[in-house]
Amino acid sequence: MLTTIKEAAAHVGQEVKLGAWLYNKRSSGKIMFLQLRDGTGFIQGVLLKNQVSPEIWEDAKKLTQESSLYVWGVVRQDERAPSGFELDVTKIEVIQVADEYPIAKKEHGVDFLMDHRHLWIRSPKQRAILNIRAEIIRAVQAFLDKHGFTRVDPPILTPSSCEGTTNLFHTKYFDEDAYLTQSGQLYMEAAAMALRKVYSFGPTFRAEKSKTRRHLIEFWMIEPEMAFVDHEESLKIQEQLLAHVVQSVLDHCQAELKTLDRDISALEKVKAPFPRITYDEAVELLHKEGFADFKWGDDFGAPHETKIAESFDRPVFITHYPTEVKAFYMKPDPNRPEVVLCADLIAPEGYGEIIGGSQRIDDPELLEKRYEAHNLPREAYQWYLDLRKYGTVPHSGFGLGLERTVAWICGLDHVRETIPFPRMLNRLYP
Ligand code: 4AD
């Protein structure tokens, strides 16, 4: 039966069989070192010419990078090995000698690597990122499941927008116009009225013509929505959720963080509660920090968010944005209707906004007024208004952008490496 590299520790002194790929090979005369990977980890296999048959030695000599093979060997503990173990190879069976591998061990340009993304994901750094992404998803779901949330899956094809019409992804739905979802939120609000605390986890689409290191065309969002929960309580859930996610990565992904050379001390500071500032305070801070032209009522861009984040060593909530810059469904502050009960959570170290959330308008008349102010077609939103007519209640929710969270936790320059196959402006391949 096959063992995996991850399970090597349980087999010290025993002969095991691995299914693997050759990552690298070195040889010096009568000894050959095979760097093997099997998807669960990396291990060095040591082959001694005088201990294997001549056929096996010749087969091993033919192995090229990414050749696939079965390997038999005895697991040996070795403190010097990065994985802590080595394999004294007794036999190999070649499945395929691979063609010349395009991703050599030298530096490649980003476009080249993106064109070869289907192969690039095999490299140690990319594997580490994808493992951390999976851990983040597990941690989010574990937290939400434990706190009584029910997962609900909203549709991907929709007749209307959630986050404004400028970056809608248009498609045809037989004879009708349709759009790929920008956010499952409106459907989650319906679901919260049925199941109280719900969350969605799925892909969302924004046809954003911006080419920044934070924007993807297709990205994944986790969107909790909670009936009878106000803005304040929602912020508490957000900070607890994120602190739990970071702790889970620290608990389970130390090897991956090391591969990525991530500064662990920055992550260890991520404990709830997070600092909060209002939009007004953030504007004041920007004025002091050299953004003298920034006007009250403008939305923050990446340089503004980065400057604000510099004042904090943990994620920071910016609350109470001007009503005019935010989405139609956000509830105005009863004490000050020109701002809304909302918050964006800005990650430290310049990673930008990772969560956007708000308390939702629960008053049907006010919601209708907002439709008018935003020029929204009544027919497409009639069902959403129904939610305010049949037992409306205070409710809140938020959207956590998975890829930006991965970029921050992994310490990556760009979101393109946070998702297996990124969809970006000018990139639909592979
Ligand atoms: O702030 P946004 O637009 O909020 C919503 O869509 C709400 N309907 C969510 C809700 O309340 N249920 O997006 C939420 C998060 C952002 O904070 C960001 O992390 C991520 O989604 N995001 C993107 N990530 C990658 N590429 C893009 N183009 C993104 N746009 C938003």
Side-chain angles (χ1 to χ4, degrees):
M1 210 181 65
L2 286 181
T3 310
T4 60
I5 294 173
K6 201 174 173 188
E7 292 163 342
H11 295 280
V12 174
Q14 297 168 12
E15 182 170 75
V16 296
K17 179 184 178 187
L18 299 174
W21 293 266
L22 185 81
Y23 178 63
N24 203 0
K25 187 173 76 178
R26 282 186 302 121
S27 73
S28 59
K30 294 181 170 35
I31 183 163
M32 215 184 290
F33 299 100
L34 307 178
Q35 310 290 338
L36 301 164
R37 59 169 199 90
D38 75 343
T40 74
F42 291 80
I43 196 166
Q44 173 160 275
V46 183
L47 200 67
L48 297 172
K49 190 172 180 182
N50 62 8
Q51 303 224 334
V52 292
S53 71
E55 296 78 37
I56 286 176
W57 183 258
E58 286 309 308
D59 279 352
K61 268 170 55 180
K62 284 187 215 131
L63 290 174
T64 53
Q65 186 180 357
E66 291 308 312
S67 290
S68 44
L69 65 159
Y70 291 111
V71 190
W72 287 256
V74 179
V75 179
R76 173 167 44 76
Q77 200 147 10
D78 188 325
E79 296 308 320
R80 294 159 307 166
S83 65
F85 303 95
E86 284 199 337
L87 192 71
D88 290 325
V89 177
T90 50
K91 190 173 123 183
I92 66 167
E93 187 182 306
V94 178
I95 301 171
Q96 186 194 42
V97 174
D99 281 0
E100 193 181 342
Y101 193 57
I103 305 184
K105 298 248 156 21
K106 60 171 188 158
E107 288 284 305
H108 291 286
V110 166
D111 278 335
F112 179 89
L113 289 171
M114 290 309 276
D115 284 341
H116 293 85
R117 184 69 181 159
H118 51 297
L119 302 176
W120 188 25
I121 52 175
R122 300 180 184 194
S123 72
K125 184 178 164 201
Q126 299 306 317
R127 273 192 71 245
I129 297 167
L130 294 183
N131 269 335
I132 291 179
R133 178 186 168 103
E135 178 60 32
I136 292 172
I137 296 169
R138 265 194 296 275
V140 167
Q141 296 192 328
F143 179 93
L144 293 172
D145 290 346
K146 188 173 152 207
H147 287 81
F149 286 76
T150 303
R151 179 175 166 164
V152 173
D153 303 315
I156 291 194
L157 289 164
T158 62
S160 53
S161 83
C162 175
E163 294 299 316
T165 49
T166 47
N167 56 26
L168 273 177
F169 227 112
H170 178 252
T171 182
K172 288 305 281 183
Y173 192 76
F174 305 104
D175 293 336
E176 281 178 69
D177 285 313
Y179 308 96
L180 300 185
T181 183
Q182 292 170 307
S183 157
Q185 179 197 319
L186 307 186
Y187 296 98
M188 287 300 105
E189 288 184 55
M193 302 305 139
L195 296 152
R196 192 151 177 151
K197 287 204 281 187
V198 294
Y199 73 98
S200 63
F201 172 51
T204 48
F205 305 85
R206 309 240 172 132
E208 276 175 302
K209 291 245 160 82
S210 48
K211 226 177 161 179
T212 79
R213 58 197 191 90
R214 294 177 184 175
H215 285 91
L216 291 165
I217 303 295
E218 178 178 308
F219 63 99
W220 287 61
M221 241 203 293
I222 292 116
E223 297 191 85
E225 194 68 37
M226 303 154 284
F228 301 104
V229 165
D230 65 9
H231 173 60
E232 184 62 29
E233 203 182 327
S234 174
L235 293 189
K236 289 206 177 92
I237 291 166
Q238 292 172 46
E239 61 199 5
Q240 284 167 14
L241 167 65
L242 206 63
H244 170 80
V245 166
V246 170
Q247 192 55 51
S248 297
V249 172
L250 286 168
D251 289 346
H252 302 121
C253 302
Q254 281 296 328
E256 284 82 359
L257 292 167
K258 193 156 173 244
T259 300
L260 298 170
D261 224 359
R262 181 65 170 110
D263 173 11
I264 305 278
S265 68
L267 296 178
E268 284 169 344
K269 294 191 185 116
V270 183
K271 302 267 190 263
F274 297 161
R276 296 177 191 186
I277 58 169
T278 61
Y279 173 91
D280 292 359
E281 289 163 342
V283 172
E284 226 172 274
L285 187 152
L286 288 176
H287 285 165
K288 279 195 208 126
E289 297 285 345
F291 290 91
D293 295 345
F294 191 91
K295 288 193 297 303
W296 196 95
D298 290 347
D299 203 359
F300 300 129
H304 306 121
E305 287 177 356
T306 303
K307 182 49 80 185
I308 295 163
E310 270 173 21
S311 302
F312 303 92
D313 61 1
R314 280 172 299 155
V316 54
F317 285 114
I318 307 179
T319 68
H320 300 86
Y321 281 68
T323 310
E324 291 317 308
V325 298
K326 286 294 186 187
F328 73 94
Y329 51 72
M330 293 190 181
K331 185 180 171 85
D333 184 340
N335 302 318
R336 217 187 137 200
E338 69 276 17
V339 298
V340 275
L341 297 175
C342 76
D344 286 352
L345 184 68
I346 313 296
E349 304 168 80
Y351 288 95
E353 183 204 317
I354 50 175
I355 297 183
S358 64
Q359 185 163 341
R360 322 305 192 188
I361 292 175
D362 47 57
D363 173 46
E365 275 152 39
L366 180 57
L367 188 60
E368 287 208 61
K369 283 200 190 116
R370 301 300 293 159
Y371 281 4
E372 276 158 35
H374 282 256
N375 264 331
L376 297 173
R378 275 296 295 264
E379 324 75 66
Y381 289 89
Q382 189 53 48
W383 69 268
Y384 185 64
L385 193 60
D386 276 356
L387 306 178
R388 276 68 177 171
K389 292 201 295 192
Y390 303 109
T392 190
V393 297
H395 63 289
S396 303
F398 59 95
L400 170 72
L402 178 61
E403 286 74 19
R404 289 198 197 161
T405 306
V406 175
W408 162 53
I409 292 180
C410 291
L412 308 175
D413 291 340
H414 201 294
V415 284
R416 66 183 158 228
E417 291 180 46
T418 62
I419 184 163
F421 295 97
R423 297 292 167 244
M424 300 185 296
L425 199 62
N426 306 330
R427 172 143 321 264
L428 189 58
Y429 177 92

